Amino acid sequence: MELGTTVLLAVIQIAVVMGVVLLSVAYMTYAERKVLSFMQDRLGPMEVGPWGLLQPIADGLKLFMKEDIIPSGANKIIFAVAPIICLIPALIGFAVVPYSEGFSLLGGTGGTITDLNVGLLYIFAFASVGAYGVILGGWASNSKYALLGGLRSGAQVISYELVIGLSIVGVLLLSESLSLRAITEHQDGGFWHWNLWVQPVAFVTYVIAAVAETNRLPFDMPEAESELVAGFFTEYSGMRFAFFFLAEYANMILVSCLASVLFLGGYEAPAEFLNFVPGFVWLALKTWALLFFFIWIRGTFPRVRFDQLMKFGWKVLIPVALVNILVTAVGVYIVNN
Amino acid sequence: MMQAIFIYLATVCVVCAVLTVSLRQPVYNVMALLTMFFHVAGLYVLLNAEFLAVVQIIVYAGAILVLYLFVLMLLNLRSESRHLHRQWPFAVLILGSVAAMLVGAMQAGGFGLPTGEAPAQVIQAVGNTESIGLTLYTDYLLPFELASLVLLVAMIGAIVLTKKELIQDHGEEQS
Amino acid sequence: MGLIRSIFMTELLMGMKLVFKQMFKPYCTLQYPHVRHDIPDGYRGLMSLLRYEDGSERCVGCSLCEAACPSNCIKVVSDEVPGQPLVRYAREYYLDITRCVFCGFCTEACPVDALAMTKVYEASVFDRRDLMFDKRKLYELGEQHLADGKAYLIAHNMDDGTLFPKEGLGDNRYSFPPVDLGEGERPVTVGLTREALEMELSKQ
Amino acid sequence: MIPLSSYVILSAVIFFIGVIGVVIRRTIIVVLLSIELMLNAVNINFVAFSHYLESITGQVFVFFTLTVAAAEVAVGLALLIAIYRNRKTVNVEELDVMKW
């Protein structure tokens, strides 16, 4: 295949995937407000468009037209760069998520923007870089609340990344590959072949750690409204605030995508007779189900204390994940021999 | 194409390395080093070591440098008026000898060494991750276990050094 | 048992079940600008001044409302009606809504039922000075919300529906709702301690 | 094709910059960062030789370097915090108790 075709194919896929992701981010904010409202017997946004459907667009326009304030005493360069450092890693991870079976497009194969053979590690590598945006944003604001939020977030993200990394090792042992496409294809064959049924403990630890990793309630220590105003983005306004916001929701969608690929069979249909539905629909359905779960959790649980959070991560989740690895490894060894 | 990419990566690496040792604000030093780590990862990709490239980012960027930033913010270090060591002229002498040693070693070394049994094609056929894993867990099993011991000792050491109560208790016992 | 419960996170799942059920209950939001609450007659909204049927002002400028106001937001300037030395009226009447606590004591204090509270609760303005109501504005409010004012007075037991007579001025000027004192002598309860009162009651 | 010597020269240059940093900077934290630079230079060499000499051993050794770097950073930063707590400074010049 020629270089030009490769680049064109990549650009088309990037455009489509980014468009879908950004649209999902926008409507995730809407869905969150709506679902939370329903859980609290309210109606949520109703004014802009029918049933408030244009609300995310109105919010976005408002944020982008607001004044961009840089507080005095802030480190201007890092203050300006931090939101971008936060946003880019969140979006870049979607490059390796397989959204459909391979199909031919312009003489090449589509289905993933790029299928790295270290795809999973690639996502974790960039997810760990996202913490920089948070820490630097908190530091550069020259504000106590922001600094405390940034430090908490640093500690939390590092701890829970470890849990995520350990909880997926079981899946890797089963599928013997780091490529997300290979992991998905390993779960081929319907509902009962999903990794969820082989690795339920890993799934639970992954979901808990993912909630903590994306700074969502009940683990939203870095931005605990009632104690730290807004945490690391207390001083941010306008477009830069919007970037942080986008990054948070894009991260949520990314970890949900990853969970559906790792544990719920990705783009595979749950049963044979449903194969006529295209793969990306299944991926989207599973991802949105997990996103609903995130909102559900937010609507249910109160925030935990910071020391409880750290204790839970280090003393409960990591040992459980390690035991899960041990059990899985022994099981795989016995089955293979 | 490959050469252009190499030249870009190498230039950025060197520039960022210079910035790392020359900038005054500690946070800028860390940021420069972070940029350099990314470009070193790019070099690894050029050398067909994708797994190492990703591990480089996870470990160096995701863990080690975050720790540096964390400590910087904990101590709230700011830039100082004088950032060079008092003895820097003396240092230049030492550096001259180190540079001479490096040049001499590179002159004497030469690059015509015998080749092993893992050319790029073989590695790509097996998969970078798998071939590393196979070597690591067979030929280098003992060093691997020793490395884990090193990490354990470092972990205990770090905890002992930073835990305030331990130091205080010790002092009270002696007095 | 407790360990098993915490491993399977039973309590957490129970909470989540409850929240999920809650999703399908009907909402209790009112889409405010489009739909409004049905406000009860006793509601204390913005205050207004009332007129008699023939259009003359009820207010006699006695300043009792000013005295009763706990937040000192009322200012009455009383004056004689020119040519009628026995009749007074309020030449100026100011009400500072920014300080008003909407307690309704002024309406209780008014001997001629000239004050009533309306059901207007949207008091926001663009200029703060517009919240200083003068006499003209208060009478305007009273005219616009006359029915609300009447309903308010009835709901607060200051009027038995005879307040706005058809004929003649001032028939109800100093009349209060009749008080039934009951039959026979009543024990003197004012100024007694609780024990003394109980003793008094037990004697009967 | 890029010759092996360019990688080696690049790594030498970065290593040398790291040495400069260790020797001339006052703040301990930058000294530690310069040590990271030197370790990275070594890693580049390992991977480059591994590629050109067609042996996976070089890449395996990068792992051990990573381990050492992680251990170094843990202990180094712990020392830094302990020093800061006792002396309220992180300058190499002012830490002269052991000087004769």
Side-chain angles (χ1 to χ4, degrees):
Chain A
M1 193 167 39
E2 279 178 36
L3 189 69
T5 330
T6 320
V7 171
L8 186 66
L9 185 65
V11 166
I12 290 173
Q13 292 201 58
I14 288 171
V16 171
V17 170
M18 280 300 104
V20 171
V21 167
L22 290 177
L23 202 70
S24 310
V25 167
Y27 276 91
M28 179 65 203
T29 62
Y30 173 77
E32 175 160 32
R33 292 167 73 176
K34 273 292 185 195
V35 173
L36 275 181
S37 303
F38 291 147
M39 283 170 177
Q40 295 158 2
D41 299 343
R42 295 185 287 123
L43 273 172
M46 288 291 282
E47 283 303 306
V48 194
W51 281 79
L53 269 173
L54 299 177
Q55 186 71 39
I57 295 159
D59 285 344
L61 278 178
K62 185 201 79 175
L63 280 175
F64 278 89
M65 283 187 210
K66 270 178 116 175
E67 187 192 355
D68 184 24
I69 301 166
I70 296 182
S72 63
N75 187 324
K76 287 198 182 58
I77 302 169
I78 293 185
F79 187 82
V81 168
I84 298 163
I85 297 183
C86 213
L87 179 60
I88 287 177
L91 294 179
I92 220 170
F94 287 100
V96 293
V97 175
Y99 55 84
S100 164
E101 288 102 351
F103 54 88
S104 62
L105 181 72
L106 296 173
T109 35
T112 333
I113 293 177
T114 173
D115 184 29
L116 288 183
N117 60 0
V118 286
L120 200 52
L121 286 179
Y122 165 88
I123 288 181
F124 286 119
F126 280 100
S128 64
V129 174
Y132 279 94
V134 175
I135 298 181
L136 288 174
W139 177 80
S141 304
N142 192 29
S143 148
K144 287 181 187 63
Y145 294 121
L147 184 66
L148 276 174
L151 282 179
R152 279 185 177 190
S153 152
Q156 177 176 337
V157 169
I158 292 174
S159 319
Y160 277 86
E161 233 168 49
L162 209 57
V163 182
I164 288 196
L166 289 175
S167 62
I168 58 161
V169 171
V171 175
L172 298 185
L173 284 171
L174 289 174
S175 57
E176 299 178 350
S177 175
L178 284 166
S179 152
L180 290 177
R181 179 170 291 281
I183 293 172
T184 312
E185 276 160 7
H186 178 257
Q187 302 172 60
D188 189 15
F191 191 61
W192 293 107
H193 291 201
W194 290 357
N195 278 335
L196 173 63
W197 308 116
V198 202
Q199 292 284 320
V201 179
F203 181 68
V204 171
T205 49
Y206 177 89
V207 168
I208 295 173
V211 174
E213 171 89 5
T214 48
N215 299 335
R216 298 276 306 168
L217 268 159
F219 301 116
D220 68 335
M221 282 302 115
E223 45 183 294
E225 285 99 344
S226 48
E227 24 187 318
L228 290 176
V229 189
F232 57 91
F233 50 70
T234 304
E235 304 291 336
Y236 279 90
S237 63
M239 211 167 72
R240 300 186 202 288
F241 175 80
F243 278 169
F244 273 125
F245 210 71
L246 278 181
E248 186 183 327
Y249 282 86
N251 262 327
M252 258 166 78
I253 295 178
L254 182 61
V255 293
S256 306
C257 260
L258 207 55
S260 43
V261 168
L262 289 174
F263 296 100
L264 304 179
Y267 55 73
E268 304 280 358
E272 286 290 328
F273 67 92
L274 288 170
N275 273 339
F276 65 93
V277 183
F280 62 88
V281 174
W282 289 118
L283 184 66
L285 275 180
K286 289 164 186 174
T287 306
W288 276 98
L290 281 164
L291 287 173
F292 172 76
F293 184 74
F294 273 40
I295 302 169
W296 188 5
I297 283 183
R298 176 177 176 175
T300 309
F301 300 127
R303 182 180 301 128
V304 298
R305 225 167 47 215
F306 189 61
D307 61 319
Q308 292 171 333
L309 170 81
M310 293 309 254
K311 205 178 275 178
F312 183 63
W314 285 98
K315 293 189 179 169
V316 179
L317 284 185
I318 289 184
V320 167
L322 283 173
V323 168
N324 180 53
I325 292 176
L326 188 70
V327 171
T328 315
V330 170
V332 168
Y333 182 80
I334 290 170
V335 169
N336 281 0
N337 290 289
Chain B
M1 187 67 191
M2 288 281 271
Q3 254 160 354
I5 295 174
F6 175 77
I7 288 168
Y8 161 73
L9 291 172
T11 320
V12 175
C13 276
V14 172
V15 169
C16 285
V18 171
L19 289 179
T20 306
V21 299
S22 60
L23 287 174
R24 286 171 178 234
Q25 171 75 267
V27 175
Y28 291 166
N29 293 125
V30 175
M31 293 315 289
L33 195 60
L34 176 67
T35 321
M36 197 200 113
F37 285 161
F38 273 99
H39 288 83
V40 170
L43 281 176
Y44 291 172
V45 173
L46 269 190
L47 291 167
N48 288 329
E50 307 91 17
F51 183 65
L52 277 187
V54 175
V55 167
Q56 161 98 3
I57 295 176
I58 292 182
V59 174
Y60 268 117
I64 291 181
L65 273 189
V66 170
L67 271 187
Y68 274 107
L69 267 187
F70 214 74
V71 170
L72 271 183
M73 284 161 198
L74 215 60
L75 305 183
N76 206 8
L77 296 178
R78 297 279 167 168
S79 55
E80 296 169 20
S81 53
R82 196 168 58 88
H83 68 297
L84 289 187
H85 198 281
R86 199 189 318 130
Q87 298 166 330
W88 69 269
F90 181 64
V92 170
L93 279 178
I94 300 174
L95 292 180
S97 55
V98 173
M101 216 165 71
L102 275 177
V103 172
M106 279 162 67
Q107 289 282 328
F111 301 111
L113 291 170
T115 56
E117 70 289 347
Q121 293 79 22
V122 174
I123 292 180
Q124 271 173 345
V126 186
N128 187 245
T129 317
E130 203 169 335
S131 47
I132 289 179
L134 278 177
T135 320
L136 189 62
Y137 290 115
T138 51
D139 298 350
Y140 294 94
L141 189 59
L142 184 65
F144 180 77
E145 294 296 333
L146 286 180
S148 68
L149 202 65
V150 168
L151 281 178
L152 179 67
V153 171
M155 199 163 80
I156 295 170
I159 292 170
V160 169
L161 278 172
T162 46
K163 202 104 172 124
K164 248 182 199 160
E165 302 88 64
L166 283 179
I167 297 170
Q168 278 165 356
D169 287 352
H170 193 58
E172 277 162 18
E173 274 172 21
Q174 287 196 331
S175 58
Chain C
M1 200 54 210
L3 184 71
I4 293 169
R5 243 192 257 155
S6 58
I7 285 176
F8 288 101
M9 299 183 283
T10 327
E11 284 100 340
L12 301 187
L13 292 178
M14 273 162 64
M16 291 180 71
K17 193 177 131 199
L18 183 74
V19 171
F20 193 76
K21 272 192 204 155
Q22 200 72 16
M23 262 186 83
F24 302 102
K25 292 199 176 165
Y27 59 87
C28 49
T29 321
L30 205 69
Q31 291 302 105
Y32 158 61
H34 313 301
V35 188
R36 280 159 196 273
H37 266 298
D38 206 12
I39 294 170
D41 285 343
Y43 186 81
R44 299 196 192 98
L46 288 182
M47 212 190 69
S48 66
L49 283 169
L50 301 180
R51 292 175 191 274
Y52 288 111
E53 297 281 284
D54 66 348
S56 59
E57 298 169 3
R58 273 177 172 263
C59 180
V60 293
C62 66
S63 296
L64 278 177
C65 45
E66 192 178 333
C69 183
S71 53
N72 282 338
C73 62
I74 297 175
K75 172 77 188 156
V76 185
V77 179
S78 169
D79 201 358
E80 280 176 11
V81 177
Q84 284 179 283
L86 288 178
V87 186
R88 295 180 74 83
Y89 78 114
R91 200 178 59 200
E92 304 280 355
Y93 196 106
Y94 292 110
L95 178 65
D96 187 354
I97 294 292
T98 59
R99 284 160 68 187
C100 181
V101 294
F102 299 94
C103 59
F105 287 0
C106 44
T107 60
E108 308 261 350
C110 188
V112 292
D113 286 341
L115 290 171
M117 297 192 108
T118 60
K119 294 176 182 175
V120 182
Y121 52 88
E122 289 150 320
S124 17
V125 287
F126 283 102
D127 189 342
R128 241 172 90 94
R129 283 167 290 191
D130 292 349
L131 287 174
M132 183 69 120
F133 286 6
D134 57 2
K135 188 175 148 189
R136 192 180 53 80
K137 170 89 179 162
L138 287 166
Y139 271 117
E140 257 173 35
L141 267 173
E143 277 160 26
Q144 281 162 13
H145 303 280
L146 187 61
D148 290 354
K150 283 182 188 169
Y152 174 86
L153 290 174
I154 292 169
H156 282 267
N157 215 11
M158 286 180 273
D159 175 30
D160 51 3
T162 59
L163 185 61
F164 293 88
K166 292 274 187 294
E167 72 277 353
L169 287 180
D171 283 358
N172 290 295
R173 176 165 273 203
Y174 293 114
S175 85
F176 293 91
V179 177
D180 183 18
L181 289 173
E183 301 285 314
E185 259 186 73
R186 300 170 72 85
V188 183
T189 54
V190 181
L192 289 181
T193 59
R194 192 180 166 79
E195 290 82 12
L197 178 64
E198 274 166 8
M199 287 221 350
E200 197 78 29
L201 285 173
S202 63
K203 263 188 267 174
Q204 292 186 357
Chain D
M1 198 61 198
I2 310 140
L4 174 58
S5 54
S6 13
Y7 282 103
V8 178
I9 290 167
L10 172 68
S11 133
V13 168
I14 293 175
F15 186 83
F16 192 63
I17 295 170
V19 177
I20 294 177
V22 170
V23 179
I24 67 170
R25 287 302 298 257
R26 284 174 85 214
T27 325
I28 295 183
I29 206 145
V30 182
V31 171
L32 287 173
L33 288 179
S34 305
I35 293 174
E36 299 293 339
L37 266 184
M38 288 154 72
L39 287 170
N40 253 276
V42 173
N43 282 354
I44 294 174
N45 251 356
F46 270 135
V47 179
F49 276 110
S50 154
H51 181 71
Y52 285 96
L53 303 187
E54 297 180 348
S55 157
I56 202 78
T57 312
Q59 298 192 16
V60 172
F61 263 83
V62 174
F63 269 90
F64 297 128
T65 323
L66 277 175
T67 320
V68 172
E72 174 242 320
V73 102
V75 177
L77 290 176
L79 276 174
L80 180 70
I81 289 175
I83 288 171
Y84 187 82
R85 219 173 253 160
N86 290 328
R87 306 287 306 265
K88 296 283 168 249
T89 177
V90 287
N91 281 350
V92 185
E93 273 179 41
E94 289 159 43
L95 304 172
D96 49 6
V97 186
M98 303 254 292
K99 254 187 187 170
W100 45 273

